[in-house]
Amino acid sequence: MNKLTQFLTTAVLALAGAANVAHAAADQTLIQRGEYLARAGDCIACHSAAGKPAFAGGLAIDSGHGIIYSSNITPDKQHGIGAYTEQQFADAVRKGVRADGTHLYPAMPYTSYAKVSDADIKALYAFFQAGVKASSFDPPATKMSFPFNMRWGMGVWNYFFADTKPFVAQAGWSDKVKQGAYLVEGLGHCSSCHTPRGFAMNEKASNSGQDKFLAGGELNDWPVPSLRGLPRWSEAQIVDYLQTGRNQGSAVAGEMTAVVEHSTAHLQDADLQAVAAYLKTLTPVPPLGPAVKPQGKEETARKLTAAVNLSLGERLYLDNCAACHFVNGKGASRVFPELDGATVINADNPTALVNVILHGARTPSTDKAPSILVMPGFSRRLSDAEAAALATFLRQGWTNSADSVSERDVAKIRAKAH
């Protein structure tokens, strides 16, 4: 080999090596982007079960018509999605159709994921193929009652109820609001819980242009608040809540605890700020008129302070709650939630409030708020009648104006939790 040929060969090999390094770097960047998007979509929450590898599936989801077990979405070729092409992956995510043509149940929020862009689908596919450890775990088979066990029927459901249109920005939105709307409508799938549902468990709205979108409702008997406008919170308080599970006057409870822990706490500041800006653009749901006349701020605080001629609910509040939430119901900023005016307390359905009284709540540990704040449950300490009296006081003290809670209500809620 002469010197010129040797030089050219060396140069070609160097260029090829540099190209391979650049390609590997590009692939890694795509995988990292996919990992971030999987956080935004909270994929780990449903596709991971206690004691099993991440994304290996097996989480039991009670649909009301049977138990749905989440699927293995690791790159295992036999039990996971390792043999999926990118198009098959896209069809599963956006259309709810597996590689073998079988329909998924809409516990998988493909009606929201339909709005995910091609570029983001590509990044998600790269992550689940190359950024997740393969697992051969085979989740239990989903067991639905008749006729819901006939998966072909989901094709009919999709025809009538599934909106699989791509994301469309509304006129007049800024780039920041567009990004927030894209995350909320799409990967965030906030509509799955926060939009009211119809008789077929279909969401009654699918995009920001519809008044019922994110207007709240009930899911599995739990009240779910409206996200439209969030009039009691500033944009900064929304970001704080999503990052840490708490803000100046509120703290997470129930399903939202896991959403913060596994998803929103990991999102970049710019994305959370975009989400907050978008939510504030939505027209709030008109407030309902008071169900009962509230006791009044001053009267409630005065009576609790005097501690004379107390009702059972007031006495129980002083014995169990006032040390943290105080006689004015204001709590302590970012530590003990404010009770006066709280959405969970004023909801038509008292299920969430009673569950918190009975079983307590705890904030998640996040990077920006690593300490876990725990409210103890009082299920062993309070009888059904006492829990009902306490809940009724909370729902009618200060400026709160919700209906009373009965002993029977508490008994049903307590029994369902077992």
Side-chain angles (χ1 to χ4, degrees):
M1 180 182 296
N2 60 39
K3 290 184 178 180
L4 178 59
T5 302
Q6 186 177 12
F7 171 78
L8 291 174
T9 300
T10 301
V12 168
L13 290 174
L15 288 172
N20 287 336
V21 170
H23 180 70
D27 284 349
Q28 189 57 39
T29 298
L30 191 65
I31 291 168
Q32 290 173 347
R33 172 64 178 167
E35 181 178 15
Y36 178 78
L37 294 170
R39 284 288 191 186
D42 202 11
C43 306
I44 197 169
C46 287
H47 289 280
S48 301
K52 302 300 179 184
F55 302 111
L59 182 72
I61 302 168
D62 187 353
S63 70
H65 302 288
I67 302 298
I68 298 172
Y69 289 95
S70 61
S71 54
N72 182 333
I73 55 172
T74 74
D76 183 83
K77 292 187 180 298
Q78 181 177 357
H79 299 294
I81 59 172
Y84 275 49
T85 66
E86 186 176 328
Q87 184 59 55
Q88 288 171 331
F89 175 80
D91 287 343
V93 171
R94 288 169 165 165
K95 299 177 181 178
V97 179
R98 299 192 308 203
D100 62 4
T102 304
H103 286 283
L104 297 170
Y105 291 104
M108 159 66 172
Y110 56 84
T111 54
S112 294
Y113 293 165
K115 296 179 172 65
V116 179
S117 69
D118 290 343
D120 285 350
I121 287 288
K122 187 176 188 67
L124 283 165
Y125 179 72
F127 170 65
F128 282 110
Q129 292 295 320
V132 172
K133 185 176 180 180
S135 169
S136 60
F137 174 65
D138 189 14
T142 289
K143 297 179 180 179
M144 298 286 280
S145 59
F146 180 84
F148 304 101
N149 59 339
M150 297 187 293
R151 285 183 181 257
W152 60 265
M154 289 311 307
V156 178
W157 189 93
N158 289 340
Y159 177 80
F160 285 104
F161 301 116
D163 182 355
T164 56
K165 298 182 182 68
F167 173 74
V168 177
Q170 302 289 310
W173 278 350
S174 66
D175 288 343
K176 182 178 182 179
V177 171
K178 287 178 186 176
Q179 176 63 7
Y182 171 72
L183 287 169
V184 170
E185 288 192 19
L187 279 172
H189 64 283
C190 306
S191 182
S192 294
C193 290
H194 291 275
T195 294
R197 291 180 178 263
F199 72 96
M201 289 304 293
N202 56 296
E203 295 173 29
K204 291 185 176 181
S206 59
N207 64 72
S208 306
Q210 299 169 300
D211 291 342
K212 291 185 178 180
F213 188 68
L214 303 181
E218 290 187 10
L219 190 64
N220 297 329
D221 294 329
W222 276 63
V224 182
S226 166
L227 300 183
R228 297 187 64 85
L230 293 173
R232 296 180 66 235
W233 289 357
S234 67
E235 289 186 22
Q237 288 173 318
I238 296 172
V239 171
D240 200 13
Y241 184 86
L242 295 175
Q243 278 184 332
T244 67
R246 65 191 86 159
N247 62 23
Q248 183 176 342
S250 301
V252 295
E255 295 293 332
M256 194 63 196
T257 306
V259 174
V260 172
E261 181 178 8
H262 297 301
S263 180
T264 58
H266 301 270
L267 300 188
Q268 297 168 358
D269 289 353
D271 280 338
L272 291 177
Q273 289 162 5
V275 167
Y278 159 69
L279 292 176
K280 294 298 286 185
T281 69
L282 301 177
T283 303
V285 174
L288 296 174
V292 298
K293 183 179 179 180
Q295 190 175 48
K297 288 184 180 182
E298 292 77 14
E299 174 62 17
T300 302
R302 182 196 65 75
K303 195 173 182 189
L304 291 174
T305 301
V308 176
N309 297 323
L310 298 177
S311 68
L312 175 60
E314 291 165 340
R315 179 176 63 77
L316 290 166
Y317 180 81
L318 282 180
D319 290 345
N320 299 283
C321 315
C324 295
H325 299 283
F326 311 133
V327 296
N328 60 7
K330 290 296 183 182
S333 178
R334 293 188 52 77
V335 181
F336 305 125
E338 184 174 350
L339 304 182
D340 185 16
T343 302
V344 69
I345 290 176
N346 287 278
D348 284 348
N349 183 341
T351 299
L353 171 61
V354 172
N355 267 292
V356 171
I357 290 173
L358 294 178
H359 308 297
R362 56 191 291 136
T363 61
S365 175
T366 68
D367 286 345
K368 294 196 174 183
S371 59
I372 297 174
L373 303 180
V374 179
M375 174 188 154
F378 298 101
S379 61
R380 295 185 179 181
R381 184 169 177 171
L382 300 180
S383 67
D384 292 344
E386 289 172 330
L390 176 57
T392 296
F393 163 70
L394 292 172
R395 285 163 66 82
Q396 296 173 7
W398 306 290
T399 62
N400 299 329
S401 58
D403 279 327
S404 301
V405 179
S406 71
E407 181 178 351
R408 183 180 179 185
D409 292 333
V410 175
K412 289 169 61 178
I413 294 167
R414 192 194 294 266
K416 193 166 186 179
H418 292 303

